[in-house]
Amino acid sequence: MHIVDQLNRKLDARFGDKVRAQQEGDVVTLTGHVDTWMEKVEAGRMCASKQRSYYIVNDIVSEKEDILPMRVPPIKDTLLEGKHYDAVIIGAGIVGSAIARELARYNISILLLEKEHDVAMQASSRNDGMVHPGIDLKKGTQKQKYNKLGNEMYDKVCEELGVPFQRVGQYLGFVQKGAKYVLPLTPVHWHKMGVPCKYVSRKELLEKEPHLNKEVVCGLSFPSAGIVCPYNLTIAYAENAVDNGVKLSLDTAVLNMNVQNGVITSVVTNRGTIYPGVVINAAGVFSDEVAQMANDRFFSIHPRKGTNAILDKKAAYQVQTIASFLGTASTKTTHSKGGGVVSTIDGNLLIGPDAVETNDKEDYATTKESVASTFAKQGIASPLLKIPDIITYFTGVRAPTYEEDFVITKGRKTKNLVHAAGIQSPGLTAAPAIGVSVAKMAVELLGESKEVTLNKNFNPIRKAIPRTAELSIEERNQLIKQNPDYGVIVCRCEEVSRGEIIDALHRSVPCDTVDGVKRRVRPGMGRCQGGFCGPLVTGIIAKEKGISIDEVLKSGYGSELVYNPTKEALQNE
Amino acid sequence: MNKEKLYDVVVIGGGPAGLAAALSADEKGASVLLIEREARLGGILKQCIHDGFGLVRFGKKMAGPEYAQTFIDKIEKSKVHISLLTFATSIEKCDDGVRLTLVNCDGVETIIAKSLVLSTGCRERTARQIAIHGTRPAGVYTAGSAQYYTNVLGYMPTKKCVILGSGDIGLIMARRLTLEGATVIGVYEAKPTPSGLTRNIHQCLHDFNIPLYTSQTVTRVFGKERLEAVEVTMVDENMCPIKGTSKIIECDSLILSVGLIPENELAESLNVACDNRTKGPVCDQNYMTMQDGIFVCGNALHVNDLVDYVSESGEGAGKSAAQYQNEKRRLVEINPDNSFLYVVPQRLNLEKPIDSVVMFFRSNIERGKTKLSVTVDDKEVYTKIYRALRPPEMERISIDFTKLPIDEKSVIKLSLKEVSK
C-alpha cells in the first residue's frame, strides 16, 4: 500500500473525510478543514514520517484559529529600491547572521534583512543559551550533523568574535534504582554518535554539583556542553559581518518575491524591491512562508512556545553547570529536549523551557501556567529552587517542521535559493556550522553565473565592548583614565558603566533602544529589572542620538517610553 | 603599593539615612567618608517633590528635596568627606575592619573602614516578581521610575493609566499624574485593605476622586510595543485570582506600587544575616548587624513609612559606628509573635545601654483597640494600648529594659492582643 493511502486511512479514522493527504514526489500535502489549530497540528504530526522519508506540507484550514499573519514594521520607504545584491539573506537571527559573516569571506555584495528593529529579536534571544553536546539527536538527521559540527566550532568562533563562552559540561541525573547497572554501558553509544560522554557515580556527581537532588543514583557527564549568551553571539556575528562589508537593513520585511522560470528575480520589501543573485531563507518561524513566496515550499512550520525563568544571581550557587534529570516529566515531554537547570554565562540560573503549540508565530506572552509547569518539571533537579528567586521570565517560539528536523538545502524547485529553515533547538549550537555550510551552497550557486573569489580583507576578529566589572583593578583603572565614563556606574545590579552603554550605542549594528542596550551590555538585567537605571539609560540614549527623551524607544516602533513633557517642563522651554 | 586610606567610618549611600549617619558620626569626632553613587546627595528624596516630610522631626511639612537639603547644608559644613558618583564594587573583611573597592571617574581605589554603615535604601518589586504575565511592552513602570521620569526628567510616562498597589509611592503618583493632566483610571490593591498611609489615601485619592479597588489585582498585560490594556481580576482572601471575574481595562501604562525590598547586595557579600520578615539585616539596638563593625540604617534595614524615622536610625547607626571599638557583645534575641509583620531591632546587646531602647514594629493585620506587651522571662516590662493598628503605619516605642533583671538566657517576647472596647 502507498504511504498516502495509509495516511488517509489514519486521517479518516480521526477526522472522517474532513482531511485528505496527497503525495507528489517526497512531499505529502494535507488539505481539508478542521475546527482548531491543535487539530491541524495533530493531523500534521500523525502523518509525519519517523524516518523522515517524506516532507509534510500542512494546508489544512483551521476554521476557528489559523496561523496569524506576520507582524510587519510600520515603515514604508525606498531605501533599498532597485538595489542589486549577490546574496540576500532573510532574517538576522543567529543563523542569518552567521551565514552573513561566512559569506563576507567572499568578494560578493551581501544584504542581510531583518524585519525587527534589531538583530536577534526572535528565537535567537529567546532560548536558554545552551550549546548542546548532542544528546537525544538521531543519527542521520540534519540536527545531529550540524549540532556536532557546530559544537566543535564554538571555542574558535567565540574567541574570534569576543563572546564569552564556557564549556561547563552537562550532567544528566538518574533517579531510577536500576540506572547504575545499565548506565555505565551507555557512553559507548554516545561516543559512536560523536558525543563525548562519561559515566559518573552518585558520589562524583554530588561532588561536582552538591546541591542536586540527593535521590540521584548516578549520572552521565557530557563535557562538551557549554553556555553562551545567544543574543550576544548573534549581535557579534552581525557586527563582524557588517564590519566586513555586509549591508544590514533593519525594519525590513520581505513581503513578496517574483519568481520566473525557477529563479527569484526580485524580492519585494517595505523598503523597496531588491534584485538578488541568490536568496537565503533564514527566516526562522516564517521560513515556510518565505519558501512559499519563493515557490519552493515543501515543509510547514508549526510554532511551539517555550518559557524560561531566570533566577536571581544569589540563587546561582545551586547549579554550576547544566543539570537535567532523566525519567522526569522534563525529558519525557514530546519534542522538547527537556532543558533543565542551566547556569547562564552571566551568572544567573535559568530554568526551562516547556513546549506548547501555538498558532501565533510571535506569541511572546508568558503565562502563569507555563512558569509554574516549567518550575514543577525542573524542580526535581535541585530541591532548593524557589519561585520567589525568579527575577524574570520570557517566552520564545521555536520553528519546528513536522519532520522535527532542520531543512538545510539548496532550493528544490527554485534555483537561486538556499534554505536554512525549521531551525529549532539545537539551532544555537548548530548555527556556526549552518553558517559555513549555507554560505558554501550560496557561493556554489553564485559560481554558476560569475566568478566568486575570496575576500582577502576579511577580518574574523570582532572587538567586544569591555565589561568593566570583570576587569582586573589595573585594567579597569587604565580604561577609566582613558575614558572616565567607564568609572560611572549606571546599572547597580549588573554594575554596568556609562562608558559601556555609550559603546553599545555606537557600533556597526545600529542600536538606539533601551532593550537593545540591555541585550548588549546588561543594564536592567538584574534584580531591580531596570527600576533604577531604566530612566538613566533613556537619558543617555537621547543625548547620544541627539533626540528628545519622548522619542526614545523601548524596543520597536511605537514603544516610546514617555509622552509629552510635563506642564512644568513646558513652561521652562 | 599605594597606602590605603583609612577612615573611622565609611557610610555607603547618601540618602536621608546615610546623611544622618555621616553627620552623627562626624559629631562624635570620627573621620567619615560618605559614598554616593549618584551625582547629587539626597537619595530618593530628590524626586519626592510632594510635601509631608519632616512632620515628626521638624513639626512642619516639607518637600523631599527641602528635607534633604537641611541635612546637606549641615554636611557641607562638617568634616565629612563626600565622594559622589562613586560605586562600591566590593567589600571584604580585613584585619583593620573592612576593605572597600570604590570606582569612580578617577579610577579604582581601595580604602579601609574601621566600621561601615550601610544606608543603601531599598528597591521596588517589579511586575515579574509579582507574577504579572503577558507581553513585555513599554508602559509598565514601577512607581519610582514613573516618578523619576515625571519629576526629574520632566516627561509624562502616561496619559491614561492603571496603578497597581496602594503603597505610598503609588498613591502619591496617582495624585501627581492627575495634577499633570493624566487620567488615573483607578488604584487596584490585591489585599482587602490599602497598603499606604491613611493620610495618603485621603490626600491623594479621595481629594482627587480617584477610585480605590481592593481585593483586585492585575493578572496580565497586553500590547506588543506599548501597553494597550491590562486584565484586572478579583482575588480571594489568599490573594488567588477568582476565575471568571476578569475584566480588560484599556490604558497606556501600568504603574506598580507593590512593595519595597531592602537593598542588601553588599550586605549579602559580607554574609550579614538577614531577617526573613524585614528582608533587611538582623541588628541590635545600636544598629550593628550580626557582623561586628557593620551597621545598617534606613530602608536598607527595614522599609520605613516616614523619612523622619529613617533619619533617626541613621543617627543611631552613625553614632554607634563612630564609637565602635571592636568590643565583645552579649546578645539576647527579641521574639515577636506572629501578630507582628516585624519588629526591629531583633537583638539586644547587654553590653550597651538598654534604658531607652527604640523599637519599631508593624502589626501583621488591621486591629482595633490593641494591647502591646513586652515581657522579659514572662514578666511585663512595657505595655501600651493602641486605639488601632494598621500594617502600613509603623509604630515606634522606647523601652527601659533595666527595670527587670536580664541576661543572655533571658527570653524577650512581644505580643499584640486586641482588647474589648
Side-chain angles (χ1 to χ4, degrees):
Chain A
M1 197 166 25
H2 280 296
I3 289 164
V4 70
D5 297 331
Q6 287 176 15
L7 293 180
N8 274 322
R9 275 181 40 188
K10 265 190 0 196
L11 288 169
D12 278 348
R14 171 66 182 84
F15 297 102
D17 56 2
K18 288 196 289 186
V19 175
R20 303 301 309 152
Q22 290 154 307
Q23 189 174 6
E24 197 191 329
D26 61 354
V27 178
V28 170
T29 303
L30 306 179
T31 52
H33 290 258
V34 292
D35 280 345
T36 65
W37 175 256
M38 273 317 293
E39 285 176 311
K40 175 170 167 173
V41 173
E42 188 191 344
R45 278 189 175 163
M46 274 170 61
C47 297
S49 156
K50 287 223 163 55
Q51 291 73 40
R52 293 167 173 79
S53 51
Y54 56 88
Y55 290 97
I56 296 284
V57 168
N58 191 343
D59 276 342
I60 298 168
V61 174
S62 124
E63 300 282 358
K64 284 190 190 136
E65 34 173 25
D66 213 326
I67 204 92
L68 291 175
M70 180 173 91
R71 295 190 187 103
V72 172
I75 287 186
K76 217 171 153 57
D77 60 21
T78 55
L79 186 78
L80 300 169
E81 183 59 41
K83 299 236 161 101
H84 288 72
Y85 286 92
D86 291 324
V88 173
I89 304 160
I90 304 170
I94 181 109
V95 172
S97 300
I99 295 168
R101 187 226 189 196
E102 293 307 323
L103 275 177
R105 294 176 191 272
Y106 300 91
N107 268 324
I108 53 171
S109 59
I110 305 154
L111 175 66
L112 176 59
L113 299 179
E114 172 54 54
K115 85 175 177 83
E116 300 293 331
H117 193 64
D118 197 356
V119 303
M121 287 293 282
Q122 308 229 0
S124 302
S125 62
R126 298 167 178 278
N127 63 77
D128 60 12
M130 260 178 85
V131 175
H132 289 274
I135 318 174
D136 258 15
L137 299 174
K138 284 202 197 78
K139 203 161 186 168
T141 61
Q142 301 267 33
K143 276 188 182 179
Q144 195 267 332
K145 172 185 161 187
Y146 284 103
N147 188 81
K148 179 179 180 300
L149 293 172
N151 183 303
E152 289 165 2
M153 289 172 69
Y154 253 85
D155 302 273
K156 183 164 180 251
V157 163
C158 289
E159 166 95 51
E160 288 177 344
L161 296 177
V163 174
F165 165 64
Q166 275 175 28
R167 251 180 229 285
V168 290
Q170 176 173 10
Y171 289 100
L172 195 57
F174 292 79
V175 286
Q176 300 84 343
K177 292 243 153 39
K180 51 181 175 190
Y181 306 106
V182 187
L183 221 54
L185 308 171
T186 53
V188 181
H189 164 74
W190 293 113
H191 282 295
K192 275 189 201 154
M193 300 276 286
V195 178
C197 174
K198 218 178 78 186
Y199 170 80
V200 276
S201 66
R202 178 177 190 273
K203 186 165 167 271
E204 220 179 318
L205 193 58
L206 289 175
E207 267 168 24
K208 290 269 178 5
E209 291 289 357
H211 302 284
L212 284 190
N213 185 343
K214 299 288 180 284
E215 283 170 37
V216 67
V217 291
C218 62
L220 291 174
S221 152
F222 296 90
S224 63
I227 50 176
V228 74
C229 169
Y231 38 91
N232 194 342
L233 181 58
T234 306
I235 292 164
Y237 259 125
E239 281 184 0
N240 189 238
V242 173
D243 290 342
N244 281 294
V246 170
K247 159 94 180 159
L248 169 67
S249 187
L250 298 171
D251 300 305
T252 310
V254 171
L255 306 173
N256 205 355
M257 289 183 199
N258 293 308
V259 185
Q260 282 168 17
N261 305 323
V263 174
I264 301 164
T265 53
S266 67
V267 175
V268 182
T269 76
N270 56 323
R271 315 196 76 170
T273 299
I274 309 153
Y275 298 89
V278 62
V279 172
I280 293 150
N281 173 14
V285 281
F286 301 105
S287 54
D288 56 342
E289 293 169 42
V290 166
Q292 171 81 29
M293 290 180 210
N295 215 357
D296 200 52
R297 187 169 67 122
F298 55 93
F299 56 90
S300 291
I301 303 288
H302 57 105
R304 195 157 57 216
K305 276 174 79 164
T307 297
N308 282 297
I310 295 178
L311 305 192
D312 194 306
K313 284 182 174 171
K314 71 177 181 208
Y317 68 92
Q318 295 172 48
V319 173
Q320 314 292 324
T321 63
I322 302 162
S324 318
F325 270 55
L326 205 67
T328 64
S330 65
T331 47
K332 275 182 191 157
T333 320
T334 45
H335 304 306
S336 165
K337 290 214 308 314
V341 185
V342 181
S343 81
T344 73
I345 196 79
D346 295 299
N348 298 89
L349 268 193
L350 183 148
I351 307 210
D354 61 346
V356 180
E357 298 290 336
T358 169
N359 62 325
D360 182 353
K361 290 179 171 181
E362 296 170 278
D363 177 8
Y364 297 135
T366 59
T367 63
K368 201 176 170 186
E369 293 71 31
S370 59
V371 170
S373 76
T374 297
F375 229 80
K377 273 182 347 191
Q378 307 297 354
I380 185 166
S382 173
L384 302 170
L385 299 173
K386 289 196 299 283
I387 285 200
D389 283 336
I390 295 178
I391 58 170
T392 190
Y393 27 81
F394 62 90
T395 289
V397 181
R398 307 172 182 91
T401 62
Y402 286 99
E403 298 71 54
E404 300 290 342
D405 201 3
F406 300 159
V407 178
I408 296 164
T409 174
K410 290 179 188 167
R412 290 159 64 98
K413 285 187 199 154
T414 304
K415 288 174 199 133
N416 59 341
L417 175 67
V418 186
H419 296 288
I423 313 290
Q424 54 164 326
S425 179
L428 174 65
T429 316
I434 295 173
V436 171
S437 202
V438 169
K440 199 169 149 248
M441 291 180 203
V443 166
E444 279 166 15
L445 289 174
L446 282 170
E448 288 169 14
S449 57
K450 66 179 270 187
E451 196 195 349
V452 179
T453 55
L454 281 175
N455 172 7
K456 291 203 182 69
N457 297 325
F458 178 79
N459 178 9
I461 307 298
R462 163 195 176 258
K463 209 163 172 279
I465 299 171
R467 298 180 95 171
T468 58
E470 285 167 18
L471 299 177
S472 70
I473 288 183
E474 293 74 34
E475 289 169 322
R476 196 165 176 171
N477 241 330
Q478 218 170 12
L479 204 60
I480 296 170
K481 295 267 142 61
Q482 283 165 22
N483 180 356
D485 279 337
Y486 290 115
V488 181
I489 303 300
V490 175
C491 166
R492 58 176 83 177
C493 305
E494 294 288 313
E495 208 180 314
V496 183
S497 69
R498 188 184 157 81
E500 290 158 75
I501 292 167
I502 293 174
D503 273 0
L505 293 168
H506 300 289
R507 292 178 70 90
S508 48
V509 168
C511 168
D512 59 3
T513 64
V514 172
D515 282 358
V517 170
K518 179 175 162 182
R519 279 189 295 274
R520 283 159 179 83
V521 287
R522 297 184 62 75
M525 289 277 190
R527 52 172 71 155
C528 93
Q529 289 287 294
F532 286 114
C533 66
L536 305 177
V537 173
T538 309
I540 296 173
I541 294 172
K543 183 157 177 261
E544 292 297 312
K545 298 287 170 185
I547 54 178
S548 80
I549 287 185
D550 51 3
E551 292 174 288
V552 178
L553 303 174
K554 176 182 183 279
S555 182
Y557 286 100
S559 67
E560 281 81 2
L561 289 148
V562 289
Y563 298 105
N564 52 295
T566 56
K567 290 184 300 204
E568 198 82 9
L570 278 172
Q571 280 163 13
N572 289 339
E573 271 177 2
Chain B
M1 185 86 188
N2 288 342
K3 193 157 164 21
E4 286 159 323
K5 276 188 216 152
L6 183 76
Y7 293 91
D8 293 328
V9 178
V10 170
V11 178
I12 301 184
L19 288 167
L23 267 176
S24 73
D26 178 68
E27 276 161 21
K28 290 284 159 197
S31 63
V32 183
L33 173 67
L34 173 63
I35 296 164
E36 169 53 48
R37 208 181 53 83
E38 294 187 67
R40 286 162 58 205
L41 293 172
I44 215 73
L45 288 177
K46 294 196 296 290
Q47 67 189 60
C48 299
I49 61 171
H50 53 281
D51 72 356
F53 297 92
L55 269 175
V56 176
R57 191 180 184 93
F58 299 111
K60 60 172 178 177
K61 285 191 204 167
M62 301 161 91
E66 191 183 358
Y67 181 93
Q69 198 61 42
T70 61
F71 287 84
I72 295 170
D73 288 344
K74 278 190 202 161
I75 215 155
E76 281 171 354
K77 289 191 198 110
S78 75
K79 297 187 294 301
V80 173
H81 297 260
I82 300 163
S83 193
L84 297 174
L85 280 172
T86 300
F87 186 79
T89 68
S90 73
I91 321 179
E92 53 180 7
K93 282 257 180 190
C94 66
D95 292 342
D96 302 322
V98 284
R99 179 182 287 112
L100 291 105
T101 307
L102 307 179
V103 174
N104 60 31
C105 293
D106 298 324
V108 190
E109 184 186 21
T110 59
I111 56 161
I112 291 179
K114 279 193 205 158
S115 63
L116 180 69
V117 179
L118 296 169
S119 45
T120 45
C122 57
R123 67 174 189 277
E124 297 176 279
R125 290 212 294 165
T126 66
R128 301 277 155 163
Q129 281 147 29
I130 55 161
I132 292 182
H133 285 277
T135 50
R136 307 172 95 169
V140 181
Y141 296 110
T142 62
S145 299
Q147 193 175 49
Y148 189 94
Y149 277 117
T150 315
N151 294 349
V152 180
L153 296 179
Y155 281 88
M156 290 294 284
T158 180
K159 290 176 186 160
K160 189 179 168 197
C161 68
V162 159
I163 296 183
L164 176 62
S166 53
D168 289 313
I169 329 170
L171 301 175
I172 281 158
M173 281 313 290
R175 175 176 66 185
R176 178 81 185 109
L177 292 167
T178 304
L179 286 170
E180 282 294 340
T183 305
V184 177
I185 297 165
V187 173
Y188 292 81
E189 169 60 57
K191 291 195 216 103
T193 54
S195 302
L197 294 172
T198 308
R199 81 169 194 224
N200 282 334
I201 302 285
H202 285 282
Q203 294 173 4
C204 300
L205 299 188
H206 295 175
D207 291 358
F208 291 85
N209 290 325
I210 300 166
L212 170 68
Y213 304 98
T214 52
S215 298
Q216 295 190 38
T217 192
V218 172
T219 35
R220 200 175 160 88
V221 299
F222 301 92
K224 185 174 183 270
E225 299 294 351
R226 180 80 198 191
L227 184 77
E228 287 161 16
V230 297
E231 178 191 74
V232 169
T233 309
M234 312 268 277
V235 295
D236 61 20
E237 57 274 18
N238 301 318
M239 299 223 272
C240 289
I242 302 166
K243 273 216 169 103
T245 63
S246 299
K247 59 177 177 191
I248 305 291
I249 300 175
E250 281 181 24
C251 55
D252 62 30
S253 286
L254 169 64
I255 291 170
L256 302 167
S257 176
V258 289
L260 300 165
I261 304 165
E263 182 66 66
N264 281 301
E265 273 181 278
L266 285 170
E268 279 164 19
S269 71
L270 286 168
N271 285 323
V272 166
C274 281
D275 180 345
N276 242 336
R277 301 207 218 186
T278 59
K279 310 286 177 206
V282 172
C283 73
D284 66 20
Q285 77 270 32
N286 295 316
Y287 300 96
M288 182 149 51
T289 66
M290 294 304 99
Q291 291 276 7
D292 289 352
I294 312 292
F295 297 81
V296 62
C297 56
N299 284 353
L301 171 60
H302 64 115
V303 176
N304 291 255
D305 43 43
L306 295 182
V307 72
D308 311 69
Y309 296 137
V310 167
S311 301
E312 181 183 358
S313 73
E315 275 158 2
K319 183 177 151 211
S320 312
Q323 292 170 337
Y324 172 68
Q325 290 292 345
N326 205 9
E327 63 272 43
K328 271 256 171 297
R329 282 192 278 183
R330 281 198 301 138
L331 295 172
V332 197
E333 198 171 332
I334 295 167
N335 302 289
D337 69 11
N338 290 332
S339 54
F340 295 88
L341 260 187
Y342 66 76
V343 174
V344 169
Q346 298 88 341
R347 301 283 187 278
L348 210 56
N349 178 7
L350 301 177
E351 293 292 331
K352 291 283 177 185
I354 53 168
D355 55 339
S356 55
V357 173
V358 173
M359 299 180 91
F360 293 103
F361 73 88
R362 290 178 197 271
S363 166
N364 66 335
I365 49 166
E366 284 200 12
R367 293 166 196 276
K369 194 174 177 191
T370 299
K371 181 185 162 190
L372 163 76
S373 159
V374 183
T375 61
V376 175
D377 297 323
D378 294 327
K379 290 190 211 72
E380 270 183 354
V381 63
Y382 180 91
T383 61
K384 184 170 178 178
I385 307 282
Y386 289 89
R387 262 206 320 212
L389 287 173
R390 291 182 61 231
E393 324 263 347
M394 194 175 78
E395 303 294 340
R396 178 189 183 278
I397 50 175
S398 175
I399 306 175
D400 180 359
F401 280 101
T402 58
K403 287 192 217 159
L404 287 168
I406 187 164
D407 62 29
E408 285 156 285
K409 292 194 191 78
S410 298
V411 179
I412 304 174
K413 284 185 186 164
L414 277 83
S415 62
L416 291 174
K417 281 203 179 66
E418 276 192 69
V419 289
S420 49
K421 284 177 186 163

